[in-house]
Amino acid sequence: MSADKIATSAWHKASWRDFPIKQHPCYVNKESIESVERELSNFPPLVFAKEADSLKDKLAKASRGESFLLQGGDCAESFSQFSTNAIRDMFKIILQMSVILTFASSRPVIKVGRLAGQFAKPRSNDVEVIDGVSYPSYRGDLINSQELDKREPDPLRLLKGYHQSASTLNLLRAFSQGGFANLEQVHNWNLGFVANNNFGKRYEELASQIEKSLRFMNACGIDTQTTRQLKEVSFYTSHEALVLNYEEALTRQDSLSKDWYDCSAHFLWIGERTRDIDHAHMEFLRGVKNPLGVKIGPNATKDDLLKICDILNPLNECGRLTFIVRMGADKIEQRFPALLRAVCEEGRNIVWSCDPMHGNTKVASSGYKTRSFTDIVSEIRSFFAIHKAQGSIASGIHLEMTGTDVTECLGGVQDINESSLHKNYHTQCDPRLNATQALELSFMLAEILQK
Ligand code: PEP
Ligand code: CO
């Protein structure tokens, strides 16, 4: 199949099946996967067309510099670590980060979680060798198990992924609209273990300033208790659209517009390893109306980027397409400027977001997969500087983080070093910023956005 075929052939929700595909599970038991697909197709959608449209409108604003995209969450959600507290803590840290960024930049922050569906992982190697024995790689809880004797892709995991996503979303909707996200609660969002360090304290000061502003507004006659914008937040979900059997089964036609939406999440992205223009992931996502992202690594070419725009955003709509740039602190200066210039010169409307995580992964001497806070900050600074030099807009940030005090990334105010990584290392896949590192990063970003 060629890129031309993608652009000219008729799309339907199963048309990806005629294209080559990478990183995809091969289900041996055909009856079982077909029965799971039928079941999923009858389940209620997790999100609704109008919600995806509203996110797209907000992203259009981000592309013009009128708002800022904050997208973040786990590298991979897990079945075993699923808990109310984990979701609550993730939601809290996203609210805290968003308050810091809004206050500094005077721009609304669009909150998008890597949540309620972020289960499937592309892997660099198909096999993992342990004690001389090869096992198929673990590909995320939606596909197989970390246990070595359960590495065969299991279709029933798609059902479990759906149900966990549904209950996660249910809680997120309650948190967003049921009083928890009320700006009056700004102090209560600070996480216990963070409150005692520098950045927790800086957050407390900011929270006090916000409270004072709310009291001032009340004194002026604005009832902050009943103002919806202060009481509720819009929170959106996103994940990498990797397992297309799952995405297809949750793809529904909107009864009003007759357009197709992938109702598994508001925002879907294509990963760095599956963004070939003539492949199945590109074919599938071009046909749904959700706002979309594509990861852009250091080996992308101008031609790749322009073809991705042609395929995923032929009408050049603002807010439809986000490029999530993840080159690595050591490569971004060299690779990104020419790509950005080419896309800008062609007048393509893009939401430019920086993922400073995936180009900066390394293995510590202790064997842990890690990332250094210094590299993460350095890539973000370069991303903003390159945009400034080009006269274009840096519209967002894409992070892997958690609301708990894990020790997975090196550095930051707690000065996590290689020998302390083992203390609280829990990720299912890539190393995440802990809550303190996430706050520290937000204050650093706030300074950049203020300039
Ligand atoms: C991810 O976002 O977890 C991921 C695998 O990213 P990338 O496709 O950029 O490597
Ligand atoms: Co990751």
Side-chain angles (χ1 to χ4, degrees):
M1 303 290 168
S2 70
D4 293 335
K5 166 152 196 290
I6 283 205
T8 52
S9 62
W11 182 91
H12 55 95
K13 64 188 170 109
S15 55
W16 62 270
R17 293 177 189 260
D18 296 333
F19 289 79
I21 193 159
K22 286 187 183 159
Q23 299 281 347
H24 208 254
C26 178
Y27 293 106
V28 181
N29 186 337
K30 300 291 168 217
E31 257 172 54
S32 171
I33 181 67
E34 282 167 16
S35 130
V36 165
E37 284 170 350
R38 274 195 302 278
E39 212 172 322
L40 279 173
S41 314
N42 289 322
F43 285 169
L46 294 172
V47 304
F48 300 93
K50 282 278 166 287
E51 296 172 335
D53 288 346
S54 93
L55 174 59
K56 191 169 128 200
D57 291 344
K58 290 181 183 173
L59 289 169
K61 291 195 171 121
S63 74
R64 296 191 290 267
E66 296 159 17
S67 62
F68 191 76
L69 166 65
L70 169 63
Q71 185 171 19
D74 283 320
C75 177
E77 289 173 277
S78 105
F79 291 169
S80 61
Q81 293 171 33
F82 179 49
S83 78
T84 310
N85 289 357
I87 301 167
R88 183 202 58 205
D89 289 347
M90 183 69 80
F91 186 73
K92 272 192 194 178
I93 190 76
I94 294 177
L95 288 184
Q96 286 185 278
M97 296 172 79
S98 124
V99 157
I100 295 167
L101 298 175
T102 308
F103 201 77
S105 69
S106 308
R107 284 185 243 171
V109 169
I110 309 164
K111 294 165 271 300
V112 183
R114 286 174 64 116
L115 264 176
Q118 176 51 24
F119 292 107
K121 301 310 299 172
R123 301 313 300 256
S124 306
N125 299 316
D126 284 341
V127 293
E128 187 179 338
V129 181
I130 296 172
D131 297 332
V133 185
S134 298
Y135 300 90
S137 292
Y138 167 64
R139 291 182 175 273
D141 281 0
L142 195 65
I143 298 176
N144 58 5
S145 165
Q146 275 185 317
E147 285 172 56
L148 295 175
D149 58 345
K150 294 188 186 140
R151 290 284 170 93
E152 202 52 53
D154 176 0
L156 294 178
R157 289 180 163 265
L158 301 180
L159 297 177
K160 187 155 181 180
Y162 171 89
H163 290 299
Q164 185 166 318
S165 301
S167 50
T168 302
L169 247 164
N170 186 46
L171 193 60
L172 291 171
R173 289 184 191 279
F175 282 156
S176 313
Q177 268 130 45
F180 188 91
N182 190 328
L183 206 49
E184 306 253 340
Q185 299 289 324
V186 66
H187 271 295
N188 297 338
W189 301 337
N190 215 359
L191 296 145
F193 53 88
V194 166
N196 300 323
N197 66 45
N198 274 353
F199 291 96
K201 291 202 179 100
R202 271 181 77 176
Y203 178 80
E204 287 291 326
E205 281 161 26
L206 178 72
S208 299
Q209 272 179 281
I210 292 173
E211 271 189 352
K212 213 166 158 189
S213 311
L214 291 175
R215 284 203 298 274
F216 174 72
M217 283 160 71
N218 274 308
C220 294
I222 299 167
D223 186 354
T224 56
Q225 289 295 330
T226 54
T227 309
R228 202 176 57 81
Q229 287 87 338
L230 300 173
K231 277 177 30 188
E232 297 176 7
V233 293
S234 299
F235 192 90
Y236 299 96
T237 59
S238 69
H239 61 258
E240 176 172 350
L242 189 72
V243 184
L244 296 184
N245 309 75
Y246 180 81
E247 304 302 336
E248 178 191 327
L250 286 165
T251 293
R252 312 288 161 83
Q253 192 170 27
D254 180 39
S255 54
L256 296 174
S257 64
K258 303 286 176 230
D259 287 325
W260 292 89
Y261 287 81
D262 182 346
C263 298
S264 69
H266 300 105
F267 178 103
L268 286 314
W269 77 84
I270 304 185
E272 164 70 359
R273 296 166 189 78
T274 51
R275 63 170 166 74
D276 306 59
I277 38 168
D278 48 359
H279 279 52
H281 290 90
M282 203 60 78
E283 167 63 13
F284 174 72
L285 280 187
R286 82 179 170 100
V288 297
K289 282 286 246 176
N290 308 57
L292 304 175
V294 180
K295 293 286 198 93
I296 304 295
N299 298 327
T301 64
K302 293 179 203 177
D303 198 45
D304 290 340
L305 266 56
L306 294 173
K307 285 206 175 107
I308 293 172
C309 293
D310 288 343
I311 295 167
L312 295 184
N313 193 14
L315 302 177
N316 201 21
E317 292 167 87
C318 284
R320 159 74 168 172
L321 184 56
T322 300
F323 279 156
I324 307 165
V325 180
R326 35 85 85 216
M327 308 241 156
D330 56 341
K331 299 210 176 72
I332 186 166
E333 298 274 358
Q334 187 203 343
R335 310 278 166 89
F336 185 44
L339 295 181
L340 178 63
R341 195 172 325 118
V343 175
C344 290
E345 278 171 8
E346 291 277 330
R348 304 305 174 105
N349 292 313
I350 296 293
V351 181
W352 292 102
S353 178
C354 173
D355 166 358
M357 314 300 292
H358 287 91
N360 293 314
T361 315
K362 54 189 183 186
V363 180
S365 50
S366 48
Y368 284 102
K369 208 174 172 189
T370 189
R371 291 161 172 156
S372 109
F373 193 74
T374 318
D375 291 341
I376 292 169
V377 168
S378 158
E379 182 161 359
I380 297 174
R381 289 199 189 282
S382 300
F383 181 78
F384 276 85
I386 293 165
H387 274 286
K388 195 165 181 202
Q390 173 62 38
S392 52
I393 289 166
S395 305
I397 186 99
H398 183 115
L399 299 171
E400 284 183 347
M401 79 237 179
T402 149
T404 56
D405 58 350
V406 298
T407 51
E408 297 171 4
C409 289
L410 300 169
V413 69
Q414 299 153 306
D415 204 16
I416 297 174
N417 57 36
E418 297 214 350
S419 56
S420 46
L421 286 175
H422 71 279
K423 286 191 184 150
N424 214 356
Y425 194 100
H426 295 298
T427 182
Q428 292 279 109
C429 192
D430 288 339
R432 303 157 294 176
L433 296 170
N434 64 26
T436 303
Q437 290 168 327
L439 282 192
E440 183 170 354
L441 194 83
S442 306
F443 281 112
M444 185 280 294
L445 201 54
E447 271 170 34
I448 301 182
L449 290 174
Q450 237 165 358
K451 283 183 192 151

